[in-house]
Amino acid sequence: MNRNVLFALSAAALFGASTPLAKWLVADLSPWLVAGLLYLGSGLGLGAMRLARDRGWKSPGLQRTEWPWLLGAIFFGGVLGPVALMVGLTRTSGATASLLLNLEAVLTALIAWVVFKENADRRIVWGMAAIVAGGLVLSWPTQNTATSGGMGPLLVGMACLCWAIDNNLTRKVSASDALFIAASKGLIAGLVNTALAVALGASWPNSGAILGTMTVGLLGYGFSLVLFVLALRGLGTARTGAYFSTAPFLGAALSVLVLGDSTSPALWLAAGLMGGGVWLHLTEQHGHEHTHEPLEHAHAHVHDAHHQHPHDFPWSGQGAHQHLHQHTAMRHNHRHFPDIHHRHGH
């Protein structure tokens, strides 16, 4: 299996697992406070890991043109998205919200295809449709549930749109330090949601529940987001979003295995649809003659067909290394994904 696909599926598994675990830990807390603790666990944990890795503060090395993309991603995904979801959840049923959250994968792909002109083969479109259909089956309401009008679903849909924009903007900086990107998002989203919870008079749980929730946040939001960024780097936005949308099924499977929830025909149907969609993506073969435009960026790389450049520093010639480097124009033919080196038109 392609390692970038493994990154995306692992990100989905961690995120999917975080929902039943958080529900088990703090079932009766304010949703704003839960979100704040999850995101803070992610941001603080990843920030500490980055400081330990670099033995102190180190510049993320983002180019001047990349900062607007990152700040936009943080604003939509770390501020607007969580707030819209939390307000929406107070005005709609859980079943309806779960159903609407499947919009994120669809909107992510549509923005990638329409706005950023990412390639979408027929096989990828059908795979995306199968995965989303599985999510719809899994979260479809089993009985009539009332909502307080249309504002709740509208806000949940707005949250999905915010995260879809976030996913596409994050792809623009996915070659940069994934730990810095994920830690920044976690800290800002955590502070925003925690501040809202305190302003609304939320009661704090005991220290064990706080530590447990933040640990779940580090794994399910932090590590998951790092893997998601790495997958964006290698697969592009639409494909990564499709793999990540298996998270509801993976979370439901964990609920069955760990929390003892019962299975249902819907769970097995969702598994079949999502499995078929993932298979369509895994068996994709996209290759044609294409042109690489001149490009300058920084990311971890080895000297392969796309990286043939001199160095102004000593290097052994072995293993991956990272520095700002230039790509000259090149035209060749091989199988590829819409990764950070293949963002050409078709």
Side-chain angles (χ1 to χ4, degrees), residues 25-215:
L25 281 168
V26 283
D28 300 322
L29 286 186
S30 157
W32 273 284
L33 185 57
V34 174
L37 292 175
L38 289 169
Y39 279 114
L40 279 177
S42 166
L44 293 174
L46 294 180
M49 289 177 60
R50 188 174 185 271
L51 288 173
R53 181 197 67 183
D54 298 334
R55 298 180 181 178
W57 169 254
K58 180 180 178 182
S59 171
L62 285 169
Q63 299 182 62
R64 183 179 301 175
T65 56
E66 292 178 318
W67 279 103
W69 298 114
L70 177 58
L71 294 176
I74 292 174
F75 176 70
F76 281 102
V79 179
L80 287 186
V83 170
L85 177 64
M86 292 304 140
V87 177
L89 286 176
T90 65
R91 303 188 179 191
T92 189
S93 68
T96 300
S98 296
L99 181 64
L100 288 169
L101 286 174
N102 290 286
L103 283 173
E104 181 185 347
V106 178
L107 293 172
T108 294
L110 287 176
I111 292 173
W113 295 336
V114 175
V115 178
F116 293 97
K117 309 301 180 185
E118 188 173 298
N119 168 255
D121 293 339
R122 183 179 302 175
R123 194 178 194 88
I124 294 299
V125 175
W126 281 112
M128 166 67 78
I131 292 171
V132 172
L136 293 176
V137 168
L138 190 66
S139 56
W140 195 269
T142 57
Q143 58 185 8
N144 291 329
T145 52
T147 68
S148 58
M151 184 55 68
L154 181 62
L155 287 168
V156 175
M158 184 181 297
C160 292
L161 177 61
C162 288
W163 287 322
I165 295 172
D166 169 21
N167 293 338
N168 279 276
L169 296 183
T170 300
R171 185 209 181 194
K172 303 289 287 186
V173 296
S174 59
S176 302
D177 187 346
L179 272 180
F180 176 79
I181 293 171
S184 300
K185 287 186 178 182
L187 283 172
I188 292 176
L191 291 172
V192 168
N193 282 279
T194 302
L196 282 171
V198 172
L200 293 171
S203 59
W204 288 88
N206 59 55
S207 57
I210 292 176
L211 181 60
T213 306
M214 293 181 71
T215 301

Side-chain angles (χ1 to χ4, degrees), residues 9-19 21 216 218-225 227 244 247 250:
L9 291 175
S10 298
L14 286 170
F15 182 75
S18 68
T19 300
L21 288 176
V216 170
L218 175 59
L219 297 172
Y221 285 55
F223 291 167
S224 175
L225 182 53
L227 292 168
F244 191 76
L250 297 171

